[in-house]
PDB file of all heavy atoms in Angstrom:
ATOM      1  N   ALA Y 119     217.104   8.068 152.151  1.00  0.00           N
ATOM      2  CA  ALA Y 119     218.150   7.400 152.928  1.00  0.00           C
ATOM      3  C   ALA Y 119     218.587   6.206 152.193  1.00  0.00           C
ATOM      4  O   ALA Y 119     217.777   5.624 151.391  1.00  0.00           O
ATOM      5  CB  ALA Y 119     217.664   7.066 154.363  1.00  0.00           C
ATOM      6  N   ILE Y 120     219.837   5.738 152.393  1.00  0.00           N
ATOM      7  CA  ILE Y 120     220.353   4.598 151.713  1.00  0.00           C
ATOM      8  C   ILE Y 120     221.190   3.754 152.692  1.00  0.00           C
ATOM      9  O   ILE Y 120     221.911   4.309 153.573  1.00  0.00           O
ATOM     10  CB  ILE Y 120     221.120   4.904 150.467  1.00  0.00           C
ATOM     11  CG1 ILE Y 120     221.629   3.724 149.716  1.00  0.00           C
ATOM     12  CG2 ILE Y 120     222.350   5.771 150.783  1.00  0.00           C
ATOM     13  CD1 ILE Y 120     222.210   3.928 148.388  1.00  0.00           C
ATOM     14  N   LEU Y 121     221.174   2.388 152.646  1.00  0.00           N
ATOM     15  CA  LEU Y 121     221.931   1.548 153.610  1.00  0.00           C
ATOM     16  C   LEU Y 121     222.209   0.311 152.873  1.00  0.00           C
ATOM     17  O   LEU Y 121     221.410  -0.291 152.098  1.00  0.00           O
ATOM     18  CB  LEU Y 121     221.111   1.227 154.787  1.00  0.00           C
ATOM     19  CG  LEU Y 121     221.701   0.337 155.795  1.00  0.00           C
ATOM     20  CD1 LEU Y 121     222.944   0.859 156.400  1.00  0.00           C
ATOM     21  CD2 LEU Y 121     220.690  -0.090 156.892  1.00  0.00           C
ATOM     22  N   LEU Y 131     219.256  -1.020 150.739  1.00  0.00           N
ATOM     23  CA  LEU Y 131     217.970  -0.723 151.321  1.00  0.00           C
ATOM     24  C   LEU Y 131     217.769   0.862 151.092  1.00  0.00           C
ATOM     25  O   LEU Y 131     218.629   1.585 151.523  1.00  0.00           O
ATOM     26  CB  LEU Y 131     217.870  -1.087 152.744  1.00  0.00           C
ATOM     27  CG  LEU Y 131     216.536  -0.776 153.427  1.00  0.00           C
ATOM     28  CD1 LEU Y 131     215.490  -1.713 152.879  1.00  0.00           C
ATOM     29  CD2 LEU Y 131     216.742  -1.082 154.989  1.00  0.00           C
ATOM     30  N   LEU Y 132     216.661   1.261 150.527  1.00  0.00           N
ATOM     31  CA  LEU Y 132     216.390   2.595 150.220  1.00  0.00           C
ATOM     32  C   LEU Y 132     215.188   3.030 151.034  1.00  0.00           C
ATOM     33  O   LEU Y 132     214.141   2.304 151.118  1.00  0.00           O
ATOM     34  CB  LEU Y 132     216.066   2.796 148.748  1.00  0.00           C
ATOM     35  CG  LEU Y 132     217.130   2.335 147.718  1.00  0.00           C
ATOM     36  CD1 LEU Y 132     216.697   2.543 146.276  1.00  0.00           C
ATOM     37  CD2 LEU Y 132     218.438   3.131 147.927  1.00  0.00           C
ATOM     38  N   GLY Y 133     215.339   4.187 151.682  1.00  0.00           N
ATOM     39  CA  GLY Y 133     214.183   4.811 152.301  1.00  0.00           C
ATOM     40  C   GLY Y 133     213.683   6.043 151.574  1.00  0.00           C
ATOM     41  O   GLY Y 133     214.425   6.646 150.830  1.00  0.00           O
ATOM     42  N   LEU Y 139     209.985   1.675 152.175  1.00  0.00           N
ATOM     43  CA  LEU Y 139     211.374   1.199 151.953  1.00  0.00           C
ATOM     44  C   LEU Y 139     211.358   0.155 150.812  1.00  0.00           C
ATOM     45  O   LEU Y 139     210.388  -0.629 150.646  1.00  0.00           O
ATOM     46  CB  LEU Y 139     212.024   0.646 153.227  1.00  0.00           C
ATOM     47  CG  LEU Y 139     212.233   1.597 154.398  1.00  0.00           C
ATOM     48  CD1 LEU Y 139     211.019   1.796 155.242  1.00  0.00           C
ATOM     49  CD2 LEU Y 139     213.359   1.066 155.325  1.00  0.00           C
ATOM     50  N   VAL Y 160     211.064   8.838 155.846  1.00  0.00           N
ATOM     51  CA  VAL Y 160     212.240   8.222 156.393  1.00  0.00           C
ATOM     52  C   VAL Y 160     213.374   9.249 156.312  1.00  0.00           C
ATOM     53  O   VAL Y 160     213.724   9.782 155.305  1.00  0.00           O
ATOM     54  CB  VAL Y 160     212.626   6.901 155.648  1.00  0.00           C
ATOM     55  CG1 VAL Y 160     213.979   6.402 156.312  1.00  0.00           C
ATOM     56  CG2 VAL Y 160     211.533   5.925 155.872  1.00  0.00           C
ATOM     57  N   ALA Y 162     216.665   8.530 158.278  1.00  0.00           N
ATOM     58  CA  ALA Y 162     217.934   7.895 158.572  1.00  0.00           C
ATOM     59  C   ALA Y 162     217.729   6.445 158.615  1.00  0.00           C
ATOM     60  O   ALA Y 162     216.719   5.879 159.012  1.00  0.00           O
ATOM     61  CB  ALA Y 162     218.455   8.455 159.900  1.00  0.00           C
ATOM     62  N   LEU Y 163     218.727   5.721 158.163  1.00  0.00           N
ATOM     63  CA  LEU Y 163     218.863   4.207 158.162  1.00  0.00           C
ATOM     64  C   LEU Y 163     220.186   3.883 158.722  1.00  0.00           C
ATOM     65  O   LEU Y 163     221.205   4.453 158.356  1.00  0.00           O
ATOM     66  CB  LEU Y 163     218.716   3.647 156.781  1.00  0.00           C
ATOM     67  CG  LEU Y 163     217.288   3.756 156.093  1.00  0.00           C
ATOM     68  CD1 LEU Y 163     217.398   3.237 154.687  1.00  0.00           C
ATOM     69  CD2 LEU Y 163     216.267   2.995 156.842  1.00  0.00           C
ATOM     70  N   GLN Y 164     220.178   2.972 159.647  1.00  0.00           N
ATOM     71  CA  GLN Y 164     221.412   2.544 160.341  1.00  0.00           C
ATOM     72  C   GLN Y 164     221.314   1.072 160.646  1.00  0.00           C
ATOM     73  O   GLN Y 164     220.368   0.532 161.190  1.00  0.00           O
ATOM     74  CB  GLN Y 164     221.585   3.297 161.613  1.00  0.00           C
ATOM     75  CG  GLN Y 164     222.882   2.959 162.388  1.00  0.00           C
ATOM     76  CD  GLN Y 164     224.148   3.291 161.521  1.00  0.00           C
ATOM     77  OE1 GLN Y 164     224.221   4.286 160.874  1.00  0.00           O
ATOM     78  NE2 GLN Y 164     225.089   2.364 161.573  1.00  0.00           N
ATOM     79  N   ALA Y 173     217.739   0.211 162.079  1.00  0.00           N
ATOM     80  CA  ALA Y 173     217.056   1.266 162.800  1.00  0.00           C
ATOM     81  C   ALA Y 173     216.607   2.294 161.715  1.00  0.00           C
ATOM     82  O   ALA Y 173     217.389   2.619 160.813  1.00  0.00           O
ATOM     83  CB  ALA Y 173     217.986   1.948 163.792  1.00  0.00           C
ATOM     84  N   VAL Y 174     215.405   2.643 161.774  1.00  0.00           N
ATOM     85  CA  VAL Y 174     214.772   3.596 160.838  1.00  0.00           C
ATOM     86  C   VAL Y 174     214.401   4.839 161.541  1.00  0.00           C
ATOM     87  O   VAL Y 174     213.543   4.771 162.473  1.00  0.00           O
ATOM     88  CB  VAL Y 174     213.658   2.982 160.124  1.00  0.00           C
ATOM     89  CG1 VAL Y 174     212.998   3.920 159.050  1.00  0.00           C
ATOM     90  CG2 VAL Y 174     213.933   1.609 159.466  1.00  0.00           C
TER      91      VAL Y 174
END
Side-chain angles (χ1 to χ4, degrees):
I120 185 173
L121 173 68
L131 181 65
L132 303 176
L139 290 84
V160 177
L163 292 174
Q164 180 63 38
V174 182

